[in-house]
Amino acid sequence: MSVSRSPNDVVILTAVRTPLCRARRGALAKIPPSTLLSTVLRGCIPPQIPPSCIEDICVGNVLAPASGYAMARMAQIDAGIPYTTPLQTLNRQCSSGLQAMNVIATAIAAGQITMGIGCGVESMSSHPMNKVTPPDVDWEVMKEDRNEEAMNCLIPMGVTSENVSSKFGFTRSQLDEFATISHQRASLAQQSGKFSEEIIPVAGVTADDGIRAQTTPAILSKLKPVFDPENGSTTAGNSSQMTDGAAAILLTTRAHAQHLQLPILGVYRSFACVGVPPSIMGIGPAVAIPKLLNDAGVNTEDVELYEINEAFASQAKYCIEVLGLDTSKVNVNGGAIALGHPLGCTGARLTVSLLHEMKRRGVHNR
């Protein structure tokens, strides 16, 4: 596929991440999110670029309290990026890291800035999901019949996975097989050193620790369903892991990259976000990807590699099947079931892993 090049193209110079480690029990459980974030902020800036040249930073984060902004700002300054560089945080749930990158790319495309960092961080050890408080709403109003869809926003994510399985007819064995492939691919990638180029070590930790190389469908079949004990198909084994980690992407214009004589890792072409029913919230990629491809004037088969978040095997499998994707092109080095899903980081992590695999394969339109 041939794509035109322009000096005004938004391009990616670097893309890095920390190791992804299991929350509470993993190697990063005692590392604060500020350290995770400062590590990737520092690590994504090439030596040729003074940190003062970074004109904006956007950080995706989901679970941190209101003080999370201060955490991110302190991490920025600790990373050597001066206070003159502004920083913002955002929360778009599991796509927060991807949205953060889009915020920076949009600012560059609009000519507001020339260079910025889109990133994401989550410490699910420091801020576990079971500590999230209920929303502040008028419960009497929300419980009225007309607001059934609004109340569905409170459905636990695992239950939405069961809803996807039930609605679209996925069996337990299909989901366990999907999860097994995720671990197998991630294990092969780790053993071959594929992740080493994208990982910045933190506190001596150099590798992801959630990958289970010995996973098989038979082993996974022994796990009990979590959200529907009697008839459910969603288990801890075919769901994403709760994880700690951070990722960062440095963006600029093609013209500026050429001026600095820096290699271009990738080009930021387009972005799309589409809402779905809260009761089956994980199917977002199935509707966002077609809009994205249409906006970019690209066909499904034109894309040689896909990264789709594996929050649950059910929603990831649905997205792949409804889009008619070649499974050999999707999550080729494993997904969140094996690697983990640090919520605010994941969108950026998917981008990091995708870009490095594209570089290895020579799949690019830089």
Side-chain angles (χ1 to χ4, degrees):
M1 182 182 66
S2 177
V3 179
S4 62
R5 290 166 173 79
S6 164
N8 297 321
D9 286 340
V10 177
V11 301
I12 297 165
L13 296 180
T14 63
V16 301
R17 67 175 178 90
T18 67
L20 303 182
C21 297
R22 295 170 298 164
R24 301 189 305 277
R25 303 183 307 277
L28 298 178
K30 295 184 179 180
I31 305 298
S34 61
T35 302
L36 301 176
L37 182 56
S38 64
T39 298
V40 293
L41 288 175
R42 187 182 298 111
C44 78
I45 304 175
Q48 305 95 313
I49 298 176
S52 58
C53 290
I54 306 302
E55 295 176 87
D56 199 2
I57 301 170
C58 187
V59 183
N61 182 257
V62 177
L63 297 174
S67 59
Y69 175 82
M71 174 276 295
R73 181 69 162 160
M74 294 168 77
Q76 166 201 334
I77 295 171
D78 175 61
I81 304 172
Y83 65 81
T84 49
T85 298
L87 178 143
Q88 59 181 300
T89 60
L90 60 79
N91 179 357
R92 191 161 227 165
Q93 296 295 295
C94 301
S95 60
S96 295
L98 188 59
Q99 181 66 56
M101 184 172 63
N102 182 63
V103 167
I104 297 300
T106 301
I108 293 171
Q112 297 171 349
I113 63 173
T114 300
M115 182 178 291
I117 299 172
C119 53
V121 62
E122 204 72 65
S123 173
M124 300 182 80
S125 296
S126 299
H127 305 291
M129 292 182 69
N130 62 7
K131 299 296 184 182
V132 175
T133 58
D136 260 339
V137 299
D138 186 328
W139 290 107
E140 289 187 9
V141 171
M142 291 300 174
K143 289 180 180 179
E144 294 177 4
D145 290 344
R146 64 186 175 89
N147 279 326
E148 179 181 359
E149 199 75 271
M151 288 298 292
N152 284 346
C153 293
L154 300 178
I155 296 176
M157 286 186 288
V159 176
T160 71
S161 172
E162 293 290 6
N163 291 344
V164 170
S165 288
S166 176
K167 184 177 179 67
F168 301 111
F170 295 132
T171 65
R172 167 70 183 274
S173 61
Q174 288 177 314
L175 303 188
D176 287 347
E177 177 65 28
F178 186 97
T180 298
I181 292 171
S182 183
H183 280 284
Q184 290 174 341
R185 289 181 174 181
S187 178
L188 287 172
Q190 187 176 60
Q191 291 172 22
S192 65
K194 283 188 174 182
F195 295 139
S196 60
E197 193 174 68
E198 64 193 58
I199 289 177
I200 305 291
V202 181
V205 181
T206 61
D208 308 315
D209 70 8
I211 302 168
R212 296 187 293 274
Q214 305 306 316
T215 298
T216 65
I219 291 173
L220 293 180
S221 69
K222 298 176 182 179
L223 299 175
K224 295 181 179 180
V226 178
F227 303 96
D228 182 356
E230 292 190 10
N231 302 306
S233 59
T234 299
T235 71
N238 59 41
S239 305
S240 59
Q241 303 175 44
M242 290 183 286
T243 309
D244 304 325
I249 296 102
L250 176 64
L251 302 99
T252 188
T253 63
R254 184 185 296 278
H256 195 56
Q258 292 172 340
H259 172 72
L260 295 172
Q261 297 183 329
L262 290 172
I264 292 170
L265 187 58
V267 182
Y268 192 94
R269 294 293 180 190
S270 191
F271 177 90
C273 190
V274 182
V276 297
S279 61
I280 49 173
M281 61 88 207
I283 68 164
V287 289
I289 288 175
K291 183 179 188 304
L292 174 69
L293 297 181
N294 182 67
D295 291 349
V298 175
N299 296 318
T300 304
E301 56 271 18
D302 292 330
V303 180
E304 297 187 47
L305 288 169
Y306 288 86
E307 285 284 334
I308 294 178
N309 187 35
E310 297 172 355
F312 300 95
S314 59
Q315 54 79 214
K317 183 174 177 60
Y318 170 79
C319 292
I320 293 168
E321 290 192 358
V322 77
L323 292 170
L325 303 183
D326 180 346
T327 56
S328 68
K329 295 182 176 182
V330 184
N331 299 354
V332 296
N333 294 317
I337 290 173
L339 295 167
H341 180 18
L343 306 182
C345 162
T346 290
R349 198 283 301 169
L350 294 173
T351 305
V352 171
S353 297
L354 177 65
L355 286 164
H356 284 278
E357 183 62 23
M358 289 170 63
K359 180 182 177 182
R360 278 188 293 271
R361 295 187 177 205
V363 178
H364 57 74
N365 284 286
R366 295 199 290 260

PDB file of all heavy atoms in Angstrom, residues 9 81 85 115 122 124 153 162 170 203 211 304 307 365:
ATOM      1  N   ASP A   9       3.359  15.613   8.197  1.00  0.00           N
ATOM      2  CA  ASP A   9       2.928  14.359   8.823  1.00  0.00           C
ATOM      3  C   ASP A   9       3.325  14.324  10.291  1.00  0.00           C
ATOM      4  O   ASP A   9       4.419  14.757  10.666  1.00  0.00           O
ATOM      5  CB  ASP A   9       3.585  13.161   8.130  1.00  0.00           C
ATOM      6  CG  ASP A   9       2.996  12.849   6.773  1.00  0.00           C
ATOM      7  OD1 ASP A   9       1.862  13.286   6.502  1.00  0.00           O
ATOM      8  OD2 ASP A   9       3.677  12.167   5.984  1.00  0.00           O
ATOM      9  N   ILE A  81      12.456  16.577  32.560  1.00  0.00           N
ATOM     10  CA  ILE A  81      11.691  17.466  31.676  1.00  0.00           C
ATOM     11  C   ILE A  81      11.256  18.676  32.503  1.00  0.00           C
ATOM     12  O   ILE A  81      10.570  18.523  33.509  1.00  0.00           O
ATOM     13  CB  ILE A  81      10.469  16.749  31.089  1.00  0.00           C
ATOM     14  CG1 ILE A  81      10.913  15.469  30.358  1.00  0.00           C
ATOM     15  CG2 ILE A  81       9.702  17.664  30.140  1.00  0.00           C
ATOM     16  CD1 ILE A  81       9.779  14.588  29.905  1.00  0.00           C
ATOM     17  N   THR A  85       7.469  22.741  30.561  1.00  0.00           N
ATOM     18  CA  THR A  85       6.663  21.853  29.723  1.00  0.00           C
ATOM     19  C   THR A  85       5.373  21.515  30.459  1.00  0.00           C
ATOM     20  O   THR A  85       5.412  20.934  31.541  1.00  0.00           O
ATOM     21  CB  THR A  85       7.425  20.550  29.412  1.00  0.00           C
ATOM     22  OG1 THR A  85       8.618  20.851  28.689  1.00  0.00           O
ATOM     23  CG2 THR A  85       6.562  19.605  28.589  1.00  0.00           C
ATOM     24  N   MET A 115       6.520  19.125  19.181  1.00  0.00           N
ATOM     25  CA  MET A 115       6.956  17.843  19.750  1.00  0.00           C
ATOM     26  C   MET A 115       6.298  17.612  21.097  1.00  0.00           C
ATOM     27  O   MET A 115       6.171  18.541  21.902  1.00  0.00           O
ATOM     28  CB  MET A 115       8.484  17.824  19.902  1.00  0.00           C
ATOM     29  CG  MET A 115       9.052  16.520  20.438  1.00  0.00           C
ATOM     30  SD  MET A 115      10.862  16.572  20.542  1.00  0.00           S
ATOM     31  CE  MET A 115      11.279  16.597  18.794  1.00  0.00           C
ATOM     32  N   GLU A 122      -0.194   2.876  34.942  1.00  0.00           N
ATOM     33  CA  GLU A 122      -1.131   2.340  35.925  1.00  0.00           C
ATOM     34  C   GLU A 122      -0.375   1.460  36.901  1.00  0.00           C
ATOM     35  O   GLU A 122       0.412   0.591  36.491  1.00  0.00           O
ATOM     36  CB  GLU A 122      -2.225   1.508  35.247  1.00  0.00           C
ATOM     37  CG  GLU A 122      -3.499   1.415  36.051  1.00  0.00           C
ATOM     38  CD  GLU A 122      -4.282   2.725  36.058  1.00  0.00           C
ATOM     39  OE1 GLU A 122      -4.753   3.151  34.988  1.00  0.00           O
ATOM     40  OE2 GLU A 122      -4.406   3.316  37.149  1.00  0.00           O
ATOM     41  N   MET A 124      -1.743  -0.996  39.439  1.00  0.00           N
ATOM     42  CA  MET A 124      -2.925  -1.644  40.006  1.00  0.00           C
ATOM     43  C   MET A 124      -2.603  -2.284  41.347  1.00  0.00           C
ATOM     44  O   MET A 124      -3.500  -2.772  42.036  1.00  0.00           O
ATOM     45  CB  MET A 124      -3.491  -2.647  39.002  1.00  0.00           C
ATOM     46  CG  MET A 124      -3.900  -1.980  37.695  1.00  0.00           C
ATOM     47  SD  MET A 124      -4.625  -3.077  36.453  1.00  0.00           S
ATOM     48  CE  MET A 124      -6.313  -3.213  37.065  1.00  0.00           C
ATOM     49  N   CYS A 153     -24.077   0.981  33.015  1.00  0.00           N
ATOM     50  CA  CYS A 153     -22.686   1.432  33.178  1.00  0.00           C
ATOM     51  C   CYS A 153     -22.051   0.863  34.444  1.00  0.00           C
ATOM     52  O   CYS A 153     -20.823   0.896  34.591  1.00  0.00           O
ATOM     53  CB  CYS A 153     -22.633   2.962  33.224  1.00  0.00           C
ATOM     54  SG  CYS A 153     -23.079   3.775  31.675  1.00  0.00           S
ATOM     55  N   GLU A 162     -19.223 -11.981  30.084  1.00  0.00           N
ATOM     56  CA  GLU A 162     -20.202 -13.064  30.014  1.00  0.00           C
ATOM     57  C   GLU A 162     -21.345 -12.701  29.059  1.00  0.00           C
ATOM     58  O   GLU A 162     -21.854 -13.558  28.323  1.00  0.00           O
ATOM     59  CB  GLU A 162     -20.766 -13.371  31.406  1.00  0.00           C
ATOM     60  CG  GLU A 162     -19.764 -13.966  32.372  1.00  0.00           C
ATOM     61  CD  GLU A 162     -19.372 -15.390  32.017  1.00  0.00           C
ATOM     62  OE1 GLU A 162     -19.789 -15.903  30.949  1.00  0.00           O
ATOM     63  OE2 GLU A 162     -18.629 -15.999  32.804  1.00  0.00           O
ATOM     64  N   PHE A 170     -20.120 -17.798  22.248  1.00  0.00           N
ATOM     65  CA  PHE A 170     -18.784 -18.344  22.460  1.00  0.00           C
ATOM     66  C   PHE A 170     -18.794 -19.370  23.586  1.00  0.00           C
ATOM     67  O   PHE A 170     -19.428 -19.171  24.622  1.00  0.00           O
ATOM     68  CB  PHE A 170     -17.782 -17.232  22.786  1.00  0.00           C
ATOM     69  CG  PHE A 170     -17.571 -16.271  21.659  1.00  0.00           C
ATOM     70  CD1 PHE A 170     -17.614 -14.908  21.870  1.00  0.00           C
ATOM     71  CD2 PHE A 170     -17.326 -16.730  20.371  1.00  0.00           C
ATOM     72  CE1 PHE A 170     -17.423 -14.012  20.831  1.00  0.00           C
ATOM     73  CE2 PHE A 170     -17.134 -15.849  19.317  1.00  0.00           C
ATOM     74  CZ  PHE A 170     -17.180 -14.481  19.552  1.00  0.00           C
ATOM     75  N   ALA A 203      14.040  -0.441  38.279  1.00  0.00           N
ATOM     76  CA  ALA A 203      14.517  -0.990  39.550  1.00  0.00           C
ATOM     77  C   ALA A 203      15.077  -2.400  39.384  1.00  0.00           C
ATOM     78  O   ALA A 203      14.831  -3.289  40.207  1.00  0.00           O
ATOM     79  CB  ALA A 203      13.376  -0.987  40.574  1.00  0.00           C
ATOM     80  N   ILE A 211       3.581 -13.865  31.901  1.00  0.00           N
ATOM     81  CA  ILE A 211       3.485 -14.854  30.826  1.00  0.00           C
ATOM     82  C   ILE A 211       3.658 -16.262  31.402  1.00  0.00           C
ATOM     83  O   ILE A 211       4.600 -16.536  32.134  1.00  0.00           O
ATOM     84  CB  ILE A 211       4.561 -14.597  29.749  1.00  0.00           C
ATOM     85  CG1 ILE A 211       4.416 -13.183  29.186  1.00  0.00           C
ATOM     86  CG2 ILE A 211       4.461 -15.632  28.630  1.00  0.00           C
ATOM     87  CD1 ILE A 211       5.599 -12.731  28.338  1.00  0.00           C
ATOM     88  N   GLU A 304      -1.382  -4.950   7.768  1.00  0.00           N
ATOM     89  CA  GLU A 304      -0.613  -6.187   7.912  1.00  0.00           C
ATOM     90  C   GLU A 304      -0.428  -6.633   9.349  1.00  0.00           C
ATOM     91  O   GLU A 304      -0.051  -7.782   9.605  1.00  0.00           O
ATOM     92  CB  GLU A 304       0.743  -6.036   7.225  1.00  0.00           C
ATOM     93  CG  GLU A 304       0.610  -5.804   5.720  1.00  0.00           C
ATOM     94  CD  GLU A 304       1.947  -5.829   5.014  1.00  0.00           C
ATOM     95  OE1 GLU A 304       2.750  -6.749   5.269  1.00  0.00           O
ATOM     96  OE2 GLU A 304       2.198  -4.922   4.206  1.00  0.00           O
ATOM     97  N   GLU A 307      -3.104  -4.740  16.649  1.00  0.00           N
ATOM     98  CA  GLU A 307      -3.052  -4.962  18.093  1.00  0.00           C
ATOM     99  C   GLU A 307      -4.426  -4.614  18.650  1.00  0.00           C
ATOM    100  O   GLU A 307      -4.898  -3.479  18.511  1.00  0.00           O
ATOM    101  CB  GLU A 307      -1.983  -4.087  18.761  1.00  0.00           C
ATOM    102  CG  GLU A 307      -0.553  -4.553  18.539  1.00  0.00           C
ATOM    103  CD  GLU A 307      -0.182  -5.760  19.382  1.00  0.00           C
ATOM    104  OE1 GLU A 307      -0.792  -5.956  20.460  1.00  0.00           O
ATOM    105  OE2 GLU A 307       0.709  -6.516  18.960  1.00  0.00           O
ATOM    106  N   ASN A 365       5.068   2.434   6.453  1.00  0.00           N
ATOM    107  CA  ASN A 365       4.945   3.480   5.432  1.00  0.00           C
ATOM    108  C   ASN A 365       5.460   4.752   6.050  1.00  0.00           C
ATOM    109  O   ASN A 365       4.728   5.685   6.326  1.00  0.00           O
ATOM    110  CB  ASN A 365       3.484   3.626   4.981  1.00  0.00           C
ATOM    111  CG  ASN A 365       3.068   2.515   4.054  1.00  0.00           C
ATOM    112  OD1 ASN A 365       3.455   2.482   2.898  1.00  0.00           O
ATOM    113  ND2 ASN A 365       2.289   1.571   4.568  1.00  0.00           N
TER     114      ASN A 365
END
